[in-house]
Amino acid sequence: TAELAQSVVAHEDAILQLVYSRDGAHIATSSVDKSVKIWNAATLTELRMEREPDWIMALAYAPDGKRVALGGFDGRVTWVEGQ
Protein backbone atom coordinates (compact mmCIF):
# COMPACT_ATOMS: atom_id res chain seq x y z
CA THR A 1 0.00 0.00 0.00
CA ALA A 2 1.11 3.53 -0.78
CA GLU A 3 1.33 6.28 1.82
CA LEU A 4 0.10 9.83 1.21
CA ALA A 5 3.22 11.97 0.89
CA GLN A 6 1.67 15.43 0.75
CA SER A 7 -1.74 17.04 0.38
CA VAL A 8 -3.12 20.56 -0.02
CA VAL A 9 -6.59 22.06 -0.48
CA ALA A 10 -5.90 23.57 -3.88
CA HIS A 11 -9.20 25.14 -4.93
CA GLU A 12 -12.59 26.20 -3.60
CA ASP A 13 -14.31 23.54 -5.74
CA ALA A 14 -13.61 20.41 -7.78
CA ILE A 15 -10.41 20.21 -9.83
CA LEU A 16 -10.99 19.72 -13.56
CA GLN A 17 -7.41 19.37 -14.82
CA LEU A 18 -3.93 18.86 -13.40
CA VAL A 19 -0.72 18.80 -15.44
CA TYR A 20 2.98 18.73 -14.60
CA SER A 21 5.51 20.87 -16.42
CA ARG A 22 7.93 18.91 -18.58
CA ASP A 23 10.75 19.34 -16.03
CA GLY A 24 8.48 18.35 -13.13
CA ALA A 25 9.11 21.60 -11.26
CA HIS A 26 5.60 23.03 -11.59
CA ILE A 27 1.98 21.87 -11.59
CA ALA A 28 -0.93 23.69 -13.23
CA THR A 29 -4.49 23.07 -12.03
CA SER A 30 -7.92 24.28 -13.12
CA SER A 31 -11.15 24.10 -11.17
CA VAL A 32 -14.91 24.48 -11.27
CA ASP A 33 -14.26 27.68 -9.26
CA LYS A 34 -12.99 29.15 -12.61
CA SER A 35 -9.44 29.58 -11.42
CA VAL A 36 -6.14 28.34 -12.80
CA LYS A 37 -3.25 27.95 -10.38
CA ILE A 38 0.45 27.31 -10.86
CA TRP A 39 2.20 25.43 -8.06
CA ASN A 40 5.73 24.56 -7.01
CA ALA A 41 5.57 20.77 -7.42
CA ALA A 42 8.06 20.00 -4.65
CA THR A 43 6.44 22.11 -1.93
CA LEU A 44 2.85 22.48 -3.25
CA THR A 45 3.21 26.23 -2.73
CA GLU A 46 0.87 28.33 -4.88
CA LEU A 47 2.92 30.58 -7.19
CA ARG A 48 0.23 32.19 -9.35
CA MET A 49 -3.54 32.32 -9.63
CA GLU A 50 -5.63 33.52 -12.57
CA ARG A 51 -9.42 33.97 -12.60
CA GLU A 52 -11.09 32.96 -15.86
CA PRO A 53 -14.56 33.79 -17.21
CA ASP A 54 -15.49 30.11 -17.59
CA TRP A 55 -14.28 26.62 -16.69
CA ILE A 56 -10.87 25.65 -18.05
CA MET A 57 -11.31 22.17 -19.45
CA ALA A 58 -7.78 21.61 -20.79
CA LEU A 59 -4.28 22.62 -19.71
CA ALA A 60 -0.99 22.05 -21.52
CA TYR A 61 2.50 23.35 -20.81
CA ALA A 62 4.47 24.82 -23.70
CA PRO A 63 7.57 22.75 -24.52
CA ASP A 64 9.81 25.35 -22.85
CA GLY A 65 7.65 25.29 -19.68
CA LYS A 66 7.27 29.07 -19.60
CA ARG A 67 3.57 29.22 -20.53
CA VAL A 68 0.44 27.13 -20.07
CA ALA A 69 -2.26 26.94 -22.73
CA LEU A 70 -5.80 27.06 -21.34
CA GLY A 71 -8.76 25.56 -23.19
CA GLY A 72 -12.02 27.05 -21.93
CA PHE A 73 -15.53 25.64 -21.81
CA ASP A 74 -16.51 28.77 -23.76
CA GLY A 75 -14.25 27.78 -26.70
CA ARG A 76 -11.42 30.21 -25.93
CA VAL A 77 -7.74 29.29 -25.92
CA THR A 78 -5.49 31.58 -23.89
CA TRP A 79 -2.00 31.51 -22.38
CA VAL A 80 -0.74 32.24 -18.87
CA GLU A 81 2.76 32.30 -17.40
CA GLY A 82 3.65 28.77 -16.31
CA GLN A 83 6.33 29.44 -13.72
Side-chain angles (χ1 to χ4, degrees):
T1 60
E3 290 185 32
L4 180 64
Q6 204 170 2
S7 178
V8 64
V9 177
H11 289 271
E12 297 170 10
D13 214 327
I15 293 174
L16 296 170
Q17 288 283 309
L18 182 149
V19 295
Y20 272 90
S21 61
R22 181 177 263 183
D23 64 4
H26 299 95
I27 299 170
T29 58
S30 69
S31 170
V32 172
D33 66 15
K34 299 181 183 175
S35 69
V36 172
K37 295 184 178 183
I38 307 300
W39 305 84
N40 176 302
T43 64
L44 294 183
T45 302
E46 183 182 321
L47 302 174
R48 176 185 302 278
M49 194 271 291
E50 302 281 341
R51 285 278 174 205
E52 296 296 321
D54 211 340
W55 294 343
I56 299 302
M57 306 302 290
L59 298 170
Y61 268 91
D64 65 6
K66 293 181 180 177
R67 298 185 300 164
V68 179
L70 314 178
F73 188 74
D74 58 3
R76 290 178 318 112
V77 175
T78 56
W79 291 91
V80 297
E81 293 299 315
Q83 301 179 7

